[in-house]
Every structure is written in C-alpha cells, then in structure tokens.
Amino acid sequence: MTRRVAIVTGAGRGIGKGIARGLASQGIHVVINDIDEKLADQTSREIGEWTSTYVSDVSDYGAVSQMVADVVDRFGTIDIVVNNAGISPKKEGKKIPLHEMDAREWQQVMEVNLNGAFHLIRSAAPFMIQQQFGRIVNISSIAAKSYISVSGGHYAATKAGLIGLTKAAAGELAPYGITVNALAPGRIETEMMAEAGMGANQQILSQIASGKFGKPEDIAQAVEFLASEKASYITGAVLNIDGGWVMA
Ligand SMILES: NC(=O)c1ccc[n+]([C@@H]2O[C@H](COP(=O)([O-])OP(=O)(O)OC[C@H]3O[C@@H](n4cnc5c(N)ncnc54)[C@H](O)[C@@H]3O)[C@@H](O)[C@H]2O)c1
C-alpha cells in the first residue's frame, strides 16, 4: 500500500507536534509545517525518518499553495491536512479586551487562525477531489463555544469561524470522499497554555470535571482516528476534548 501523506501546520511544538508524532506512528508521511524553521527541524529530528519539514506562514496564501504544490510534486499525493497553526496574543499573560484591542492585532489573528485554514483547504481540496479521498481536521477551541476568560475576542471569533468553515467544507466536499471535522480542545499543556500563567490556569482547573489538563497526545489520538479509514462516515462534526470542562 502506498504511504499516505499529511501536512500538519504549526507542528514545530505543542499540539501540532503531538499530532505529527501520532500520524507518523500510523505509518503516514508527515510534512511538518511551521513558521519557525528551528522548531520544525527539531520536531522532524525527534519524530524521525517519515517526516519532512516545510517552513511557511499559513497566513500567506501564495506560500501555502506553493507548499501543497511542492508536496504533491514530491510525494505524488496529499491525503490529510490538519489546520493546527494558531496564535493567541496576550499582554503580560493577560488577554486584551475587545474595547482596548488594536485593530491590527485583530487582523493578524484572523489571518493566521482563520484565513490560514481557508488557504490550506483551498489549496489541497482540488487534489483530494481528483483522488476522491481526503481528510481535513481543523483545530478549533472550546473558546468558540463558551466565554473563556483567558482567551481574547479575536481568538474566540476565529475559533467559531473555523467551526462554520468546517461545516461548509464538509458539505461541499462530502460527495468526493473527503471528510472535514473540527476538534475543540480545552486546556492542553503547551507553551500557549503556559502564557496565561499559573494562577489563571489553576482557576480553570477547578472547573474541569476530570481534574486534569489535557496533553497534546489527547488531541493527536482524535486526529489519528478522524484521519483513518475508520472515520469515513464522520464529517462536519465538532468534538470537544476538554476533560469535561464545558460540555456544550
Ligand atoms: N493549548 C491549548 O490549551 C489549546 C486549546 C484550544 C485550542 N488550541 C489550539 O491548538 C493549536 C495549537 O496550539 P498550541 O497550544 O500547540 O500552540 P503553540 O503556540 O504552543 O504552538 C503553535 C505553533 O504554531 C506555529 N505558528 C504560529 N503562527 C504560524 C503561522 N503563521 N504559520 C505557521 N505556523 C505558525 C508556532 O511557531 C508554533 O510552533 C492552535 O490553533 C490553538 O489555538 C490550543
């Protein structure tokens, strides 16, 4: 059987790195995308042989479409894309309220978190349609569904936008054997989570029914399933992975 090929954006650290490791463990060739070359190289070295790196900024449509073209050129296919790259700007560990937010910061979060996902779907879907197979997973957030005091309004808006994008793409692409799903992580132990500071995270912990933060592997395992043949009848779904925090 030919090896499936995946692109995971923002895979240089955190959740994306966990997803890349999980997919590679399933025998999938993983293209580790990140804007940070050092992080991408480090991840590729750690995971090993069946990975390659591609440094590009997901907010740049030209760069993303070139990445997909290069991947198809090199490996002959693109089967799985995971829109994981995301930013959550804070000031001294605190979110900036909407009524004080710089409009450029709002725009930047839109460009990376939401436009970035459109760029990759727009670029990869035509190849997936040709081969009548594809798996697209968008990493949203619990912040799309409920007010989370540590997350900025721009971040919440993009994560809600990703859910709308997931459903629109799922409907359009279902006839071609392509599934599109979203995951809504709660509090997952990464550098992004650490930026909110211990105090805020401890307060949230008291609201999580399981009494634990999540780990990148918790997200990776769901991606592995959604990317597999076993999940071929699941599309347009949004799965919370939050240890029983929001339950909405
Ligand atoms: N950690 C959490 O608790 C949590 C909860 C819900 C959702 N999420 C989402 O999961 C995803 C990963 O989060 P994380 O906690 O691992 O974050 P992180 O900040 O630890 O890692 C994000 C990675 O994305 C890369 N990146 C940033 N901008 C990029 C761009 N323009 N192009 C390409 N790569 C870029 C960074 O270099 C970094 O390696 C994000 O979309 C985030 O919103 C995280």
Side-chain angles (χ1 to χ4, degrees):
M1 208 178 113
T2 50
R3 200 170 273 273
R4 294 228 183 265
V5 176
I7 296 176
V8 182
T9 66
R13 69 180 197 191
I15 292 175
K17 183 176 186 170
I19 293 170
R21 196 188 295 281
L23 291 175
S25 78
Q26 300 302 301
I28 294 163
H29 183 97
V30 185
V31 177
I32 293 160
N33 159 269
D34 208 282
I35 198 170
D36 185 320
E37 187 173 3
K38 265 198 194 146
L39 289 178
D41 286 346
Q42 170 74 19
T43 296
S44 180
R45 267 198 306 277
E46 278 179 35
I47 299 176
E49 202 183 351
W50 291 105
T51 60
S52 42
T53 59
Y54 202 106
V55 177
S56 63
D57 177 349
V58 296
S59 70
D60 177 344
Y61 176 66
V64 172
S65 62
Q66 189 61 53
M67 169 171 70
V68 171
D70 289 348
V71 166
V72 172
D73 208 39
R74 182 163 169 208
F75 302 106
T77 179
I78 177 67
D79 305 297
I80 300 155
V81 299
V82 183
N83 283 304
N84 167 79
I87 55 173
S88 182
K90 293 191 175 58
K91 202 173 167 190
E92 286 149 18
K94 293 212 162 49
K95 71 154 183 193
I96 297 119
L98 286 164
H99 62 275
E100 291 172 12
M101 190 178 286
D102 187 317
R104 275 170 309 186
E105 186 181 294
W106 169 274
Q107 199 58 39
Q108 192 200 3
V109 175
M110 295 296 135
E111 281 168 9
V112 176
N113 294 11
L114 187 54
N115 297 6
F118 163 69
H119 295 159
L120 188 51
I121 292 171
R122 172 67 186 87
S123 304
F127 293 104
M128 293 175 166
I129 289 172
Q130 247 175 33
Q131 67 193 12
Q132 298 279 298
F133 178 88
R135 297 281 188 265
I136 299 172
V137 183
N138 297 322
I139 307 301
S140 174
S141 167
I142 280 302
K145 297 182 161 193
S146 182
Y147 175 66
I148 305 296
S149 59
V150 291
S151 304
H154 44 18
Y155 181 83
T158 57
K159 294 299 178 180
L162 276 177
I163 292 180
L165 176 66
T166 298
K167 290 173 193 258
E172 290 177 8
L173 297 172
Y176 306 105
I178 301 167
T179 68
V180 189
N181 293 290
L183 300 179
R187 232 47 210 141
I188 309 298
E189 285 173 338
T190 68
E191 296 192 33
M192 182 187 278
M193 181 186 124
E195 279 158 19
M198 273 292 277
N201 284 323
Q202 282 305 320
Q203 213 176 350
I204 290 173
L205 189 59
S206 66
Q207 299 161 25
I208 300 175
S210 62
K212 295 185 286 200
F213 294 123
K215 299 203 178 308
E217 301 85 82
D218 295 314
I219 310 303
Q221 281 156 16
V223 174
E224 282 170 43
F225 173 63
L226 290 172
S228 74
E229 311 287 336
K230 290 178 186 164
S232 61
Y233 202 58
I234 302 175
T235 197
V238 184
L239 178 64
N240 291 1
I241 307 181
D242 67 355
W245 176 18
V246 166
M247 301 196 200

